[in-house]
Amino acid sequence: MTKATKLLPALPPPQRERLMALAKEVSFPEDARIFEAGGTADRFWVIRSGAVSLDQRVTSLQRVTVATLGSGDLLGWSWLFPPYQWDFGAEAFSPVRAYEFDAAEVRRLCDEDQQLGLILLRQVAEILAHRLETTRGKLMEQYGMRRNSAL
């Protein structure tokens, strides 16, 4: 991902400092489930090190990885939009260290600092647009491969 799709570097220093004042350092062991689709999205993370896979359950026994996130990436965006429920699941692909943010506290901070709220909303939207484009490209690549193999 480009620097533009990283959350913290996109924030001006005063807003970054206010947000980081709410950060809590956490870690997840390899293979830990961080959250499940449909669960309450009451927090989010910025990954410091390690890798996290986002997945979608396709059957009761099978999950499909839709994205892999690494250092500097935002993990979780559902906390920003009602009904505040995760759209995907997330699992630590390796040991992970991250900054964790309480969603309600960050939303309150955004109400107090509307510049931060606007910048944060725009940056999350940019991250989502980038991830959607990446996923679209992967789907097109898979479709093209299947289509060619059928010929």
Side-chain angles (χ1 to χ4, degrees):
M1 281 191 185
T2 64
K3 185 178 178 181
T5 59
K6 304 290 183 182
L7 180 66
L8 296 178
L11 299 175
Q15 281 74 26
R16 185 178 329 123
E17 288 172 20
R18 290 193 75 195
L19 180 64
M20 289 305 294
L22 302 178
K24 178 175 117 178
E25 292 187 32
V26 298
S27 60
F28 301 99
E30 183 175 352
D31 297 329
R33 288 300 290 174
I34 300 170
F35 55 82
E36 293 288 348
T40 302
D42 58 356
R43 62 198 68 246
F44 68 96
W45 301 264
V46 173
I47 300 169
R48 295 178 59 211
S49 65
V52 174
S53 61
L54 294 179
D55 56 50
Q56 181 68 54
R57 186 177 292 282
V58 291
T59 69
S60 62
L61 300 175
Q62 183 182 15
R63 299 174 202 265
V64 173
T65 298
V66 296
T68 301
L69 307 177
S71 180
D73 286 333
L74 171 68
L75 172 59
W77 54 267
S78 300
W79 63 274
L80 194 52
F81 306 102
Y84 309 119
Q85 291 182 324
W86 300 119
D87 286 316
F88 299 100
E91 185 170 313
F93 188 72
S94 67
V96 171
R97 292 176 44 214
Y99 294 118
E100 181 178 88
F101 299 87
D102 178 275
E105 287 183 22
V106 173
R107 288 191 301 265
R108 274 193 292 278
L109 179 60
C110 290
D111 287 342
E112 292 171 13
D113 183 343
Q114 292 186 357
Q115 182 182 7
L116 172 62
L118 181 59
I119 293 167
L120 194 59
L121 184 61
R122 284 181 178 165
Q123 191 59 25
V124 170
E126 185 176 328
I127 290 166
L128 292 176
H130 176 76
R131 288 185 188 168
L132 181 61
E133 183 61 27
T134 300
T135 302
R136 182 180 157 288
K138 287 179 184 176
L139 288 172
M140 295 300 288
E141 188 176 295
Q142 286 179 342
Y143 175 75
M145 288 173 61
R146 277 194 204 143
R147 188 170 167 209
N148 291 339
S149 65
L151 294 177

